[in-house]
Amino acid sequence: MPIPGSGLAKGLAVTLRTMTKRSHTAQYPEVQPELPPRSRGVIGLFEENCTVCMLCARECPDWCIYIDSHKETVPAAAPGGRERSRNVLDRFAIDFSLCMYCGICIEVCPFDALFWSPEFEYAETDIHELTHERDKLREWMWTVPAPPALDPAAEEPKEIAAARKAVEKAEAAAAARAAAAAPPAADAEPGTGPGAPGPGSGTPDTPAGGPA
């Protein structure tokens, strides 16, 4: 049976231990905090990888991603080829007053165009200014930490393995073409090979210099 008042005594003991410890205060903003590498600060945009597939905007549960684009015609790469059209990004904005930092947009992006940045100093005096356009998202991209190193015992990534096999196959094909295009070695004339006897050496049955 617990002693009456033991819980209160334990609580007071914790309070006393905390009161006797020296407090540590970081002088922010002069001293920046050391954030974990996987901190969810803001979302950075790597515009070159964006194909305007709209997958991030469709999957966002808060509908806080705004994307505008237009189509451009790409000329045929070879004579007689067919022209193609591609999407060109005009606007990519995120309303951080609505964003709940779930990270779904980053996970569903199939082309690695969105990344978590530990940047957190983006407060504004007006809530309407929390909608940041692609230029600001591009600036945050350079604060994204490098990915952690792979485990030495881990399997080789599929992309690297496929690229390595493609390079090895291309090198083998080039070596085979070079070997097939090389001229065949000419046959040596009789008596001119490295094992042919020189002048005055005689024959195997006759000593050099002729019969005595």
Side-chain angles (χ1 to χ4, degrees), residues 15-31:
T15 303
L16 289 174
R17 285 198 301 268
T18 305
M19 291 176 61
T20 55
K21 289 182 180 179
R22 184 177 180 180
S23 61
H24 175 73
T25 303
Q27 301 299 326
Y28 176 85
E30 287 77 12
V31 179

Side-chain angles (χ1 to χ4, degrees), residues 104-121:
I104 293 178
C105 57
I106 298 175
E107 294 177 3
V108 301
C109 179
F111 301 105
D112 292 334
L114 298 175
F115 296 87
W116 278 119
S117 166
E119 182 67 36
F120 63 92
E121 295 176 325

Side-chain angles (χ1 to χ4, degrees), residues 38-115:
R38 299 181 64 183
S39 298
R40 295 190 176 189
V42 291
I43 299 173
L45 171 66
F46 191 59
E47 188 175 336
E48 286 75 6
N49 286 356
C50 182
T51 61
V52 200
C53 64
M54 305 294 292
L55 192 58
C56 57
R58 290 198 300 266
E59 296 296 331
C60 178
D62 290 335
W63 292 85
C64 63
I65 301 177
Y66 311 115
I67 301 176
D68 294 330
S69 64
H70 69 278
K71 289 186 177 292
E72 286 185 357
T73 301
V74 180
R82 186 179 61 180
E83 294 182 345
R84 304 181 64 183
S85 62
R86 67 184 183 95
N87 292 324
V88 179
L89 184 65
D90 293 329
R91 184 194 184 201
F92 195 108
I94 299 178
D95 187 355
F96 284 96
S97 65
L98 297 177
C99 179
M100 64 179 184
Y101 306 92
C102 62
I104 293 178
C105 57
I106 298 175
E107 294 177 3
V108 301
C109 179
F111 301 105
D112 292 334
L114 298 175
F115 296 87

